Amino acid sequence: MRIVIAGGHGQIALRLERLLAGRGDEVAGIIRRPEQAGDLLSAGAEPVVCDLETATVADIARHLEGADAAVFAAGAGPGSGIERKESVDRGAASLFADAAEAAGVRRFVVVSSMGADTEPPAGTDEVFAAYLRAKGAADADVRARSGLDWTILRPGRLTDDPGTGRVRLAESTGRDAIPRDDVAAVLAALLDEPGTAGRTLELIGGGTPVDEAVRAVAAD
């Protein structure tokens, strides 16, 4: 497959790029800064410099032409304020979905966040609350699109622990941690399983091998 990843320099995206390239897929990662290109090349991915906050749908669609799938793994990141949660976590996600539709790329996988469907509890840090609301709005936008075979993945608390290859994947899992390695492995498996289209799934560490967990969800 040819797979294009928005947010190609993110921690999960770089792991996913290594996995996909390692199994023989052609991978392109969209990045904002040219100096990030070397890290993508080392991961086996083609770097594509394109700022999702200023690009047009046509700009992004050109990079998606000929792709079999698209993954939205971009985010404003730590230290960014409320304005960039809106422009990246919501705005760029919707723009990337527009571009996928324009380019005829139906398979569309989103890395979201637990808690994105509910109003943040009272006392939540205002920037984190804005992030959750932005993610929720982006997810709602994607789920309303009949032109995409979408899957939304909502991992629990992310860690840099080594992956175990075993997870819990379901519409509701409860809250727990998950290594970024395992999130990347689940994303790779989701791309191979069209039966997961139309599903919003939570992901935490667990006891089920990744491929088995994805097959089980597709069979539900």
Side-chain angles (χ1 to χ4, degrees):
M1 290 194 294
R2 175 171 172 79
I3 300 154
V4 179
I5 302 171
H9 195 257
Q11 295 187 65
I12 291 172
L14 286 168
R15 288 166 166 84
L16 177 58
E17 287 155 5
R18 292 187 193 99
L19 287 176
L20 296 175
R23 72 184 196 183
D25 289 323
E26 182 183 343
V27 192
I30 295 177
I31 54 177
R32 187 163 59 94
R33 299 199 299 272
E35 60 268 27
Q36 297 171 333
D39 290 336
L40 271 73
L41 291 169
S42 296
E46 170 197 350
V48 175
V49 179
C50 179
D51 188 343
L52 297 178
E53 290 180 271
T54 59
T56 66
V57 171
D59 291 335
I60 302 166
R62 281 194 291 272
H63 300 307
L64 284 163
E65 287 177 2
D68 299 290
V71 178
F72 185 81
S80 58
I82 291 173
E83 183 177 336
R84 293 203 69 229
K85 304 304 184 192
E86 181 66 16
S87 63
V88 179
D89 293 287
R90 187 203 61 76
S94 296
L95 185 70
F96 195 57
D98 287 341
E101 289 185 316
V105 181
R106 289 198 62 91
R107 190 71 176 110
F108 194 85
V109 178
V110 177
V111 183
S112 184
S113 175
M114 281 192 183
D117 270 345
T118 57
E119 180 62 17
T124 301
D125 172 78
E126 65 175 1
V127 176
F128 187 64
Y131 165 77
L132 291 175
R133 293 186 186 108
K135 280 293 191 185
D139 292 354
D141 179 359
V142 169
R143 287 187 294 206
R145 294 172 185 257
S146 60
L148 298 177
D149 296 327
W150 54 265
T151 302
I152 294 170
L153 183 66
R154 292 177 166 170
R157 180 175 54 83
L158 298 170
T159 76
D160 289 324
D161 296 336
T164 67
R166 293 178 176 270
V167 300
R168 183 177 180 200
L169 180 69
E171 290 185 357
S172 179
T173 61
R175 292 182 178 268
D176 207 340
I178 180 78
R180 288 180 173 87
D181 287 347
D182 289 332
V183 177
V186 168
L187 288 169
L190 288 172
L191 288 167
D192 284 341
E193 183 45 83
T196 59
R199 304 291 297 276
T200 301
L201 303 168
E202 294 184 348
L203 174 68
I204 58 174
T208 306
V210 166
D211 288 344
E212 184 181 324
V214 171
R215 284 196 300 269
V217 165
D220 283 349

